[in-house]
Amino acid sequence: MKKTVFSFIATLTLSAITTSSIQAETTTAHKEDTKNVAIHDIQGAGHKSPYNNKKVENVEGIVTYKYKLNGANYLHIQTPDNKKDNNPNTSEGLIIYTGKQDYNTKVGDLVKVTGTVDEYYIDGYNEKKKTDLSVTQINARDDKGGKISIESSNQQLPKPYKIKKVPSQISANDQFNTFDRKRYAVDYWESLEGMRVETGDVRSVGPQEHGEVFTVLKNQSSETDNGGVRLAESNQHGERIPFKMYDNNTARDFNVATGDYFKGPIIGYVNYGYSNYKVNVDLDDMKKAHVKGDAQPKPTSLEPNKQKLNIASYNLENFSNNPQSTTEDKAEKIAKGITTNMKSPDIIGVTEVQDNDGPNSGGPEANESYERLIKKIQEAGGPKYKYLNIDPEMNEDGGQPNANIRVGFLYNPKRVHYDKSIKPGDADTAVSYKDGNLTRNPGRIDPHNPAFDDSRKPLAAQFKFHGEQVIILANHWNSKNGDMPLFGSQQPPALQSENQRTEIAKAVGRFVDQVQKDNPQANIISVGDYNDFQWSKPIKTLESFNMTDMMNKVPEKDRYSYVYQGNSQALDHVLVSNNLADATKLDSVHVNSDFTDMSGRASDHDPLVAQIDLKKDKKDK
């Protein structure tokens, strides 16, 4: 998701300072000289530039890097090594914006820049969204009074700053009042903004996406089998080093998986975009440094068993019958994954099934989307599944406009019995549980509850397996849209979307409670993409209704289903009623999240497969 500013104290040597103290000293000090100021003066030693909105003249630096973004020209300049201030808190690099004009500068030119300092949102989300940090730059457009003079050429570039250790803690969580580059990653990267930097060997902790690769230094311990690092409640891994590769469009075809290596030295240029500090690098350099790792997609370890029920959860990432938006390749990959990697579960709770025409403007019906997937599974050697679905109201459940994503079920009629004698529900009718059965099968849980506004309504279905009743809930809770990013403008980041998910958890929990009051020994399994972590308030809220999150019982190295910006994390969960906890095993099947489309990825989420021994549950009672 996606520029920072520093205050100026010329002789500051402390490593930890506060914004308030900077501002006080700045206002009482003599007026800043705006002629012949140095880059480190403009950057300052904090999170606001004292020269913001001021015109500066003859700022000297060596051109180290040039690029274009959205048709505009940018270059990085850096203080010559013999003119640095030796204060690690003040960056010696600066970004120069020249608009359409190029000024004919080349890397290695010593230049003097005149223009206006501003805090700008160069790449990513603009100021209106109020999520990102700004980047200190000089606007040197000639029509704005700026100019660049080339003083000499073919200068030796400043030595790159060697990145040896990035703090693991992201910030002091006090809205930037504390600045300490040794302790906090957001301050560490700010102190290097615009600079030429160098890393040694690094390891990828996520697949290439959008031309970016998130890495850690190679000697950092792996926390997953594939070489990743896991997001934890107490560790958000500020030490991740993101590389942004140019040409960005070509870089999207670079097949980098979690666990791949890049052999150093790697030289790049610190920037910020889409809610993250990033090191801009050339794609060709990264390709030359690339060493393929050992990560391979692996099937579930849970073997099918005639006496045990296998239930899966799978986010299909916007699957429809529209071949323009869901390609044949994707459909075949998902089908193969269900048959080969998931070993054809008895019931699959699916999320992000779109209507028949995907994002086109047709109606919300999804029968053709389900039928397409079922046919592909058969062609891949799997069983002939049937599906359960309730079409939502048009554009009422969020997701891609006109696509009408929803949750549903695939089930193998040769393995489980679906009770057709119970009337199916519709988009408006709430399901309940009475006298030992659902009142609608399938049925939507509390569809008019405002907690589900612009979000998917959970679906409940009733099956029997070897005579035992099973109630299954499919969920796709509201996304993290609206949350502040880890390296964003609010520290600590506000998690606004969590409130809605907590209310959703209460609504689902009340339904679970109703089932359990009518049938205290009910077998309840709740699956899906919950868009939250196992320690989060929403998941803990649902657990409080006599439910157990089985993700907590998975070995730690496997406790993830999604990789976001290099953090392996669990967004998908299988929760079971407490009476089933000891009879259930869960496997997170890592076939997608660590890989690119080029290496077989079918969705952005890994599927989960749970195996439940209902007979064991009965024996234990």
Side-chain angles (χ1 to χ4, degrees), residues 193-473:
E193 183 184 82
M195 284 181 63
R196 192 168 186 248
V197 295
E198 175 187 315
T199 71
D201 296 351
V202 295
R203 184 180 78 249
S204 173
V205 289
Q208 177 278 121
E209 195 168 9
H210 308 303
E212 298 174 359
V213 173
F214 283 75
T215 70
V216 294
L217 296 175
K218 183 180 177 181
N219 59 3
Q220 181 165 332
S221 298
S222 298
E223 296 179 358
T224 75
D225 273 346
N226 288 333
V229 294
R230 287 192 315 107
L231 183 73
E233 185 175 16
S234 59
N235 192 350
Q236 298 169 327
H237 293 290
E239 73 274 14
R240 290 167 292 128
I241 304 171
F243 289 96
K244 176 79 169 181
M245 297 172 284
Y246 288 94
D247 173 9
N248 176 241
N249 290 326
T250 306
R252 293 170 189 242
D253 294 327
F254 190 12
N255 187 12
V256 179
T258 302
D260 287 3
Y261 288 91
F262 295 89
K263 189 166 181 58
I266 301 170
I267 294 176
Y269 307 85
V270 177
N271 209 325
Y272 183 102
Y274 288 103
S275 300
N276 268 298
Y277 288 98
K278 293 165 187 175
V279 180
N280 290 353
V281 289
D282 290 328
L283 175 60
D284 288 343
D285 291 343
M286 292 296 279
K287 284 186 171 181
K288 290 174 185 176
H290 184 220
V291 179
K292 198 64 185 166
D294 299 326
Q296 294 292 330
K298 294 179 181 177
T300 179
S301 60
L302 297 174
E303 294 293 337
N305 186 305
K306 287 184 179 181
Q307 301 304 316
K308 297 177 182 179
L309 179 65
N310 276 20
I311 294 179
S313 176
Y314 202 177
N315 183 321
L316 303 181
E317 194 186 12
N318 293 323
F319 185 91
S320 77
N321 192 41
N322 184 338
Q324 276 70 52
S325 55
T326 300
T327 64
E328 280 293 286
D329 178 64
K330 178 182 176 73
E332 289 168 0
K333 283 178 180 175
I334 289 176
K336 181 181 178 183
I338 288 172
T339 56
T340 302
N341 295 319
M342 298 164 64
K343 300 180 182 177
S344 301
D346 304 319
I347 305 170
I348 307 171
V350 289
T351 61
E352 290 199 22
V353 177
Q354 294 187 338
D355 61 31
N356 295 331
D357 61 9
N360 293 349
S361 57
E365 297 80 12
N367 58 306
E368 295 171 2
S369 298
Y370 283 104
E371 288 161 2
R372 179 188 186 190
L373 179 56
I374 289 169
K375 182 180 178 183
K376 288 296 180 185
I377 293 171
Q378 278 187 279
E379 292 173 355
K384 186 176 181 179
Y385 284 101
K386 291 188 176 182
Y387 72 91
L388 298 179
N389 167 73
I390 292 179
D391 294 323
E393 297 289 346
M394 190 73 180
N395 283 327
E396 287 296 315
D397 284 13
Q400 193 174 12
N402 296 322
N404 297 295
I405 57 172
R406 81 288 309 276
V407 299
F409 297 100
L410 300 180
Y411 69 96
N412 183 351
K414 292 185 177 181
R415 289 278 294 162
V416 296
H417 173 71
Y418 162 64
D419 191 347
K420 296 180 181 178
S421 68
I422 304 173
K423 183 179 178 180
D426 55 35
D428 292 316
T429 303
V431 66
S432 58
Y433 189 88
K434 186 177 181 181
D435 298 330
N437 290 289
L438 293 181
T439 57
R440 293 287 186 270
N441 193 21
R444 296 178 113 191
I445 296 174
D446 203 3
H448 294 291
N449 189 321
F452 298 115
D453 286 353
D454 203 32
S455 184
R456 281 62 57 191
K457 285 66 177 173
L459 195 64
Q462 180 174 310
F463 297 93
K464 280 191 175 180
F465 179 75
H466 291 313
E468 295 291 335
Q469 185 190 87
V470 179
I471 304 296
I472 304 182
L473 317 180

Side-chain angles (χ1 to χ4, degrees), residues 492-513:
L495 306 178
Q496 295 174 345
S497 71
E498 186 182 79
N499 296 328
Q500 183 178 354
R501 284 192 298 280
T502 301
E503 292 306 307
I504 288 175
K506 292 176 182 177
V508 176
R510 285 191 291 269
F511 174 78
V512 168
D513 185 58

Side-chain angles (χ1 to χ4, degrees), residues 5-252:
V5 250
F6 276 50
S7 296
F8 166 58
I9 303 175
T11 59
L12 182 68
T13 56
L14 296 176
S15 63
I17 55 179
T18 66
T19 301
S20 56
S21 64
I22 297 167
Q23 291 172 340
E25 188 157 342
T26 301
T27 54
T28 56
H30 61 80
K31 290 183 178 180
E32 301 93 347
D33 180 10
T34 58
K35 295 183 179 180
N36 301 306
V37 294
I39 291 171
H40 46 252
D41 297 333
I42 294 170
Q43 285 283 19
H47 275 280
K48 284 290 178 185
S49 169
Y51 289 86
N52 189 27
N53 296 322
K54 294 182 179 180
K55 187 172 182 179
V56 292
E57 301 178 44
N58 301 320
V59 179
E60 184 181 71
I62 296 172
V63 178
T64 59
Y65 185 64
K66 296 183 68 174
Y67 65 98
K68 278 194 172 186
L69 186 66
N70 299 323
N73 292 289
Y74 292 87
L75 53 95
H76 289 218
I77 65 172
Q78 190 163 329
T79 309
D81 284 338
N82 63 348
K83 295 186 178 180
K84 296 190 300 185
D85 70 350
N86 294 318
N87 179 356
N89 293 309
T90 58
S91 172
E92 298 291 352
L94 191 61
I95 296 167
I96 311 299
Y97 167 68
T98 65
K100 301 293 183 184
Q101 190 168 351
D102 185 72
Y103 285 107
N104 296 315
T105 57
K106 300 184 298 294
V107 171
D109 284 349
L110 177 68
V111 298
K112 288 187 176 181
V113 179
T114 294
T116 301
V117 176
D118 59 30
E119 296 294 335
Y120 193 68
Y121 302 84
I122 292 176
D123 184 22
Y125 303 119
N126 62 29
E127 188 175 7
K128 289 181 180 178
K129 199 163 183 181
K130 299 187 183 302
T131 59
D132 281 9
L133 296 171
S134 60
V135 172
T136 304
Q137 68 170 21
I138 294 179
N139 184 338
R141 283 173 47 181
D142 59 353
D143 62 337
K144 298 293 184 180
K147 66 177 181 179
I148 297 177
S149 62
I150 300 173
E151 303 298 305
S152 59
S153 298
N154 301 314
Q155 298 296 300
Q156 183 174 349
L157 297 184
K159 293 178 182 178
Y161 176 90
K162 292 188 177 181
I163 295 175
K164 296 180 179 179
K165 183 179 181 180
V166 183
S168 62
Q169 191 170 343
I170 291 177
S171 83
N173 285 333
D174 62 358
Q175 199 49 35
F176 303 103
N177 282 325
T178 302
F179 184 89
D180 189 341
R181 71 183 303 276
K182 290 184 177 180
R183 295 179 63 191
Y184 306 119
V186 70
D187 303 332
Y188 178 87
W189 287 113
E190 172 62 26
S191 73
L192 300 174
E193 183 184 82
M195 284 181 63
R196 192 168 186 248
V197 295
E198 175 187 315
T199 71
D201 296 351
V202 295
R203 184 180 78 249
S204 173
V205 289
Q208 177 278 121
E209 195 168 9
H210 308 303
E212 298 174 359
V213 173
F214 283 75
T215 70
V216 294
L217 296 175
K218 183 180 177 181
N219 59 3
Q220 181 165 332
S221 298
S222 298
E223 296 179 358
T224 75
D225 273 346
N226 288 333
V229 294
R230 287 192 315 107
L231 183 73
E233 185 175 16
S234 59
N235 192 350
Q236 298 169 327
H237 293 290
E239 73 274 14
R240 290 167 292 128
I241 304 171
F243 289 96
K244 176 79 169 181
M245 297 172 284
Y246 288 94
D247 173 9
N248 176 241
N249 290 326
T250 306
R252 293 170 189 242

Side-chain angles (χ1 to χ4, degrees), residues 469 515-516 518-524 577 579 617-618 621:
Q469 185 190 87
V515 175
Q516 291 175 336
D518 188 274
N519 180 3
Q521 297 304 318
N523 300 312
I524 307 171
S577 47
N579 58 300
D617 170 44
K618 290 299 178 187
K621 288 176 183 175

